[in-house]
Amino acid sequence: MLINCAAYQSGKKLGDVAVEDISDYLAKPECFVWVALKDPDAAEMATMQEEFDLHALAIEDVMNGNQRPKIEEYGDTLFAVFHTIEIGDDGELVMGQVNVFAGRNFVLSVRHRTQQGFQDVRARCEREPDLLTEGAGFVLYALIDSVVDRYMPVLDVLSGEIEELEDRIFEKHGAAASRAIIEDLYSLKRRLVILQHHISPLVEAVGKLVGGRIPQICVGMQAYFRDVYDHLVRVSNVIDARREMIVTAIQVNLGMISLAESEVTKRLGSFAALFAVPTMIAGIYGMNFQEIPELHYRYGYPVCLGVMAAIDVILFFLFRRAGWL
């Protein structure tokens, strides 16, 4: 569906225009048209293809809706694809796609599966008429910059989850809770990998607008695209750092599990030793021999029990001092 269609001239908005009047404004000097679509059907895209003379392969990519982030040139028109990332109600990542056609005198943005629109980008551009005189190049920058800025809140949420899981690692809990922590850490790592998968290609794509042969539409805007590129590199580095933190957290959690198991083993060994000494003494006196010391002594039985109890008491305090009990 059509979200917005407006014409601009010399950095100022002329007004909203009808789709059938787009060609009239494209013919005006120093004038460009900015059209925004959301989940368009084939008929709407066919109309835009006719109005802006768009390449058929780019239109096919838009309709497929599952393209990796990229920036391609079709003659004098730039075709950019980048992904939006939002967090759903269930905590999972929701991926959207934004396609942008930027020509000499027009910008066409098409978004799929994206709840948040770009009205704020349009308002920002209209507040900066000096930059808006750059035309399609500035609008393309503003759209990419807005998408990149929306990555950071998502990354902040995931970073908060990492810190919460790190705190849980050092709490006393059972085997079931330890397993749940590992599952949550792995789920978090999986989401970071997905995030990196959608951001890394965009780093390479935007890099083409910074150095080397700059497309004509972007000439004069290199400093702005370099700023976006720096933000993307920073986001990518933060993701790598968070993934390393998760790997370390998993290793620490496994180490805590091993320590807990070691404590249990020591306690069981200590209790086994407390029972082993009386069992050994009772076993000796239970052997079928006539010449056993104190066998016929009147107080042999209580003395034997006393010796067992005394040894166990001594062992108990020794184990307690060693921290085994």
mmCIF file with all atom_site columns, all heavy atoms in Angstrom, residues 26-37:
data_model
loop_
_atom_site.group_PDB
_atom_site.id
_atom_site.type_symbol
_atom_site.label_atom_id
_atom_site.label_alt_id
_atom_site.label_comp_id
_atom_site.label_asym_id
_atom_site.label_entity_id
_atom_site.label_seq_id
_atom_site.pdbx_PDB_ins_code
_atom_site.Cartn_x
_atom_site.Cartn_y
_atom_site.Cartn_z
_atom_site.occupancy
_atom_site.B_iso_or_equiv
_atom_site.pdbx_formal_charge
_atom_site.auth_seq_id
_atom_site.auth_comp_id
_atom_site.auth_asym_id
_atom_site.auth_atom_id
_atom_site.pdbx_PDB_model_num
ATOM 1  N N   . LEU A 1 26 ? 8.857  14.716 -12.061 1.00 0.00 ? 26 LEU A N   1
ATOM 2  C CA  . LEU A 1 26 ? 10.189 14.261 -12.437 1.00 0.00 ? 26 LEU A CA  1
ATOM 3  C C   . LEU A 1 26 ? 10.770 15.100 -13.563 1.00 0.00 ? 26 LEU A C   1
ATOM 4  O O   . LEU A 1 26 ? 12.003 15.217 -13.681 1.00 0.00 ? 26 LEU A O   1
ATOM 5  C CB  . LEU A 1 26 ? 10.136 12.786 -12.878 1.00 0.00 ? 26 LEU A CB  1
ATOM 6  C CG  . LEU A 1 26 ? 9.796  11.756 -11.788 1.00 0.00 ? 26 LEU A CG  1
ATOM 7  C CD1 . LEU A 1 26 ? 9.751  10.358 -12.384 1.00 0.00 ? 26 LEU A CD1 1
ATOM 8  C CD2 . LEU A 1 26 ? 10.800 11.817 -10.645 1.00 0.00 ? 26 LEU A CD2 1
ATOM 9  N N   . ALA A 1 27 ? 9.920  15.691 -14.333 1.00 0.00 ? 27 ALA A N   1
ATOM 10 C CA  . ALA A 1 27 ? 10.378 16.510 -15.454 1.00 0.00 ? 27 ALA A CA  1
ATOM 11 C C   . ALA A 1 27 ? 10.810 17.899 -15.023 1.00 0.00 ? 27 ALA A C   1
ATOM 12 O O   . ALA A 1 27 ? 11.484 18.607 -15.780 1.00 0.00 ? 27 ALA A O   1
ATOM 13 C CB  . ALA A 1 27 ? 9.274  16.613 -16.511 1.00 0.00 ? 27 ALA A CB  1
ATOM 14 N N   . LYS A 1 28 ? 10.467 18.314 -13.816 1.00 0.00 ? 28 LYS A N   1
ATOM 15 C CA  . LYS A 1 28 ? 10.827 19.654 -13.341 1.00 0.00 ? 28 LYS A CA  1
ATOM 16 C C   . LYS A 1 28 ? 12.288 19.689 -12.914 1.00 0.00 ? 28 LYS A C   1
ATOM 17 O O   . LYS A 1 28 ? 12.790 18.727 -12.332 1.00 0.00 ? 28 LYS A O   1
ATOM 18 C CB  . LYS A 1 28 ? 9.932  20.061 -12.178 1.00 0.00 ? 28 LYS A CB  1
ATOM 19 C CG  . LYS A 1 28 ? 8.460  20.228 -12.551 1.00 0.00 ? 28 LYS A CG  1
ATOM 20 C CD  . LYS A 1 28 ? 7.653  20.705 -11.356 1.00 0.00 ? 28 LYS A CD  1
ATOM 21 C CE  . LYS A 1 28 ? 6.194  20.913 -11.732 1.00 0.00 ? 28 LYS A CE  1
ATOM 22 N NZ  . LYS A 1 28 ? 5.380  21.402 -10.592 1.00 0.00 ? 28 LYS A NZ  1
ATOM 23 N N   . PRO A 1 29 ? 12.985 20.788 -13.175 1.00 0.00 ? 29 PRO A N   1
ATOM 24 C CA  . PRO A 1 29 ? 14.394 20.890 -12.765 1.00 0.00 ? 29 PRO A CA  1
ATOM 25 C C   . PRO A 1 29 ? 14.522 20.995 -11.243 1.00 0.00 ? 29 PRO A C   1
ATOM 26 O O   . PRO A 1 29 ? 13.671 21.578 -10.571 1.00 0.00 ? 29 PRO A O   1
ATOM 27 C CB  . PRO A 1 29 ? 14.871 22.170 -13.453 1.00 0.00 ? 29 PRO A CB  1
ATOM 28 C CG  . PRO A 1 29 ? 13.629 22.980 -13.662 1.00 0.00 ? 29 PRO A CG  1
ATOM 29 C CD  . PRO A 1 29 ? 12.522 21.994 -13.894 1.00 0.00 ? 29 PRO A CD  1
ATOM 30 N N   . GLU A 1 30 ? 15.626 20.418 -10.724 1.00 0.00 ? 30 GLU A N   1
ATOM 31 C CA  . GLU A 1 30 ? 15.944 20.449 -9.292  1.00 0.00 ? 30 GLU A CA  1
ATOM 32 C C   . GLU A 1 30 ? 14.779 19.953 -8.435  1.00 0.00 ? 30 GLU A C   1
ATOM 33 O O   . GLU A 1 30 ? 14.525 20.445 -7.345  1.00 0.00 ? 30 GLU A O   1
ATOM 34 C CB  . GLU A 1 30 ? 16.345 21.859 -8.857  1.00 0.00 ? 30 GLU A CB  1
ATOM 35 C CG  . GLU A 1 30 ? 17.605 22.362 -9.549  1.00 0.00 ? 30 GLU A CG  1
ATOM 36 C CD  . GLU A 1 30 ? 18.002 23.728 -9.042  1.00 0.00 ? 30 GLU A CD  1
ATOM 37 O OE1 . GLU A 1 30 ? 17.268 24.291 -8.191  1.00 0.00 ? 30 GLU A OE1 1
ATOM 38 O OE2 . GLU A 1 30 ? 19.050 24.246 -9.485  1.00 0.00 ? 30 GLU A OE2 1
ATOM 39 N N   . CYS A 1 31 ? 14.086 18.963 -8.945  1.00 0.00 ? 31 CYS A N   1
ATOM 40 C CA  . CYS A 1 31 ? 12.927 18.420 -8.236  1.00 0.00 ? 31 CYS A CA  1
ATOM 41 C C   . CYS A 1 31 ? 13.069 16.897 -8.175  1.00 0.00 ? 31 CYS A C   1
ATOM 42 O O   . CYS A 1 31 ? 13.518 16.269 -9.135  1.00 0.00 ? 31 CYS A O   1
ATOM 43 C CB  . CYS A 1 31 ? 11.630 18.799 -8.955  1.00 0.00 ? 31 CYS A CB  1
ATOM 44 S SG  . CYS A 1 31 ? 10.128 18.171 -8.153  1.00 0.00 ? 31 CYS A SG  1
ATOM 45 N N   . PHE A 1 32 ? 12.735 16.333 -7.033  1.00 0.00 ? 32 PHE A N   1
ATOM 46 C CA  . PHE A 1 32 ? 12.729 14.880 -6.934  1.00 0.00 ? 32 PHE A CA  1
ATOM 47 C C   . PHE A 1 32 ? 11.502 14.424 -6.146  1.00 0.00 ? 32 PHE A C   1
ATOM 48 O O   . PHE A 1 32 ? 10.938 15.162 -5.341  1.00 0.00 ? 32 PHE A O   1
ATOM 49 C CB  . PHE A 1 32 ? 14.030 14.348 -6.312  1.00 0.00 ? 32 PHE A CB  1
ATOM 50 C CG  . PHE A 1 32 ? 14.121 14.479 -4.825  1.00 0.00 ? 32 PHE A CG  1
ATOM 51 C CD1 . PHE A 1 32 ? 13.753 13.435 -3.984  1.00 0.00 ? 32 PHE A CD1 1
ATOM 52 C CD2 . PHE A 1 32 ? 14.603 15.648 -4.253  1.00 0.00 ? 32 PHE A CD2 1
ATOM 53 C CE1 . PHE A 1 32 ? 13.850 13.550 -2.620  1.00 0.00 ? 32 PHE A CE1 1
ATOM 54 C CE2 . PHE A 1 32 ? 14.715 15.779 -2.877  1.00 0.00 ? 32 PHE A CE2 1
ATOM 55 C CZ  . PHE A 1 32 ? 14.329 14.723 -2.049  1.00 0.00 ? 32 PHE A CZ  1
ATOM 56 N N   . VAL A 1 33 ? 11.126 13.183 -6.393  1.00 0.00 ? 33 VAL A N   1
ATOM 57 C CA  . VAL A 1 33 ? 9.925  12.603 -5.787  1.00 0.00 ? 33 VAL A CA  1
ATOM 58 C C   . VAL A 1 33 ? 10.342 11.486 -4.844  1.00 0.00 ? 33 VAL A C   1
ATOM 59 O O   . VAL A 1 33 ? 11.204 10.671 -5.174  1.00 0.00 ? 33 VAL A O   1
ATOM 60 C CB  . VAL A 1 33 ? 8.970  12.060 -6.879  1.00 0.00 ? 33 VAL A CB  1
ATOM 61 C CG1 . VAL A 1 33 ? 7.747  11.401 -6.237  1.00 0.00 ? 33 VAL A CG1 1
ATOM 62 C CG2 . VAL A 1 33 ? 8.539  13.186 -7.811  1.00 0.00 ? 33 VAL A CG2 1
ATOM 63 N N   . TRP A 1 34 ? 9.704  11.472 -3.677  1.00 0.00 ? 34 TRP A N   1
ATOM 64 C CA  . TRP A 1 34 ? 9.994  10.450 -2.658  1.00 0.00 ? 34 TRP A CA  1
ATOM 65 C C   . TRP A 1 34 ? 8.703  9.679  -2.392  1.00 0.00 ? 34 TRP A C   1
ATOM 66 O O   . TRP A 1 34 ? 7.725  10.226 -1.903  1.00 0.00 ? 34 TRP A O   1
ATOM 67 C CB  . TRP A 1 34 ? 10.508 11.120 -1.396  1.00 0.00 ? 34 TRP A CB  1
ATOM 68 C CG  . TRP A 1 34 ? 10.903 10.170 -0.294  1.00 0.00 ? 34 TRP A CG  1
ATOM 69 C CD1 . TRP A 1 34 ? 10.804 8.825  -0.273  1.00 0.00 ? 34 TRP A CD1 1
ATOM 70 C CD2 . TRP A 1 34 ? 11.482 10.549 0.966   1.00 0.00 ? 34 TRP A CD2 1
ATOM 71 N NE1 . TRP A 1 34 ? 11.272 8.316  0.907   1.00 0.00 ? 34 TRP A NE1 1
ATOM 72 C CE2 . TRP A 1 34 ? 11.696 9.343  1.689   1.00 0.00 ? 34 TRP A CE2 1
ATOM 73 C CE3 . TRP A 1 34 ? 11.828 11.763 1.541   1.00 0.00 ? 34 TRP A CE3 1
ATOM 74 C CZ2 . TRP A 1 34 ? 12.240 9.353  2.969   1.00 0.00 ? 34 TRP A CZ2 1
ATOM 75 C CZ3 . TRP A 1 34 ? 12.376 11.771 2.808   1.00 0.00 ? 34 TRP A CZ3 1
ATOM 76 C CH2 . TRP A 1 34 ? 12.575 10.565 3.508   1.00 0.00 ? 34 TRP A CH2 1
ATOM 77 N N   . VAL A 1 35 ? 8.737  8.389  -2.754  1.00 0.00 ? 35 VAL A N   1
ATOM 78 C CA  . VAL A 1 35 ? 7.572  7.524  -2.598  1.00 0.00 ? 35 VAL A CA  1
ATOM 79 C C   . VAL A 1 35 ? 7.908  6.429  -1.586  1.00 0.00 ? 35 VAL A C   1
ATOM 80 O O   . VAL A 1 35 ? 8.992  5.845  -1.622  1.00 0.00 ? 35 VAL A O   1
ATOM 81 C CB  . VAL A 1 35 ? 7.158  6.882  -3.938  1.00 0.00 ? 35 VAL A CB  1
ATOM 82 C CG1 . VAL A 1 35 ? 5.919  6.003  -3.751  1.00 0.00 ? 35 VAL A CG1 1
ATOM 83 C CG2 . VAL A 1 35 ? 6.899  7.961  -4.983  1.00 0.00 ? 35 VAL A CG2 1
ATOM 84 N N   . ALA A 1 36 ? 6.953  6.152  -0.681  1.00 0.00 ? 36 ALA A N   1
ATOM 85 C CA  . ALA A 1 36 ? 7.128  5.094  0.311   1.00 0.00 ? 36 ALA A CA  1
ATOM 86 C C   . ALA A 1 36 ? 5.984  4.095  0.194   1.00 0.00 ? 36 ALA A C   1
ATOM 87 O O   . ALA A 1 36 ? 4.815  4.487  0.195   1.00 0.00 ? 36 ALA A O   1
ATOM 88 C CB  . ALA A 1 36 ? 7.176  5.681  1.724   1.00 0.00 ? 36 ALA A CB  1
ATOM 89 N N   . LEU A 1 37 ? 6.331  2.817  0.082   1.00 0.00 ? 37 LEU A N   1
ATOM 90 C CA  . LEU A 1 37 ? 5.342  1.742  -0.027  1.00 0.00 ? 37 LEU A CA  1
ATOM 91 C C   . LEU A 1 37 ? 5.556  0.737  1.104   1.00 0.00 ? 37 LEU A C   1
ATOM 92 O O   . LEU A 1 37 ? 6.668  0.560  1.596   1.00 0.00 ? 37 LEU A O   1
ATOM 93 C CB  . LEU A 1 37 ? 5.466  1.019  -1.369  1.00 0.00 ? 37 LEU A CB  1
ATOM 94 C CG  . LEU A 1 37 ? 5.253  1.834  -2.647  1.00 0.00 ? 37 LEU A CG  1
ATOM 95 C CD1 . LEU A 1 37 ? 5.498  0.943  -3.856  1.00 0.00 ? 37 LEU A CD1 1
ATOM 96 C CD2 . LEU A 1 37 ? 3.853  2.420  -2.695  1.00 0.00 ? 37 LEU A CD2 1
#
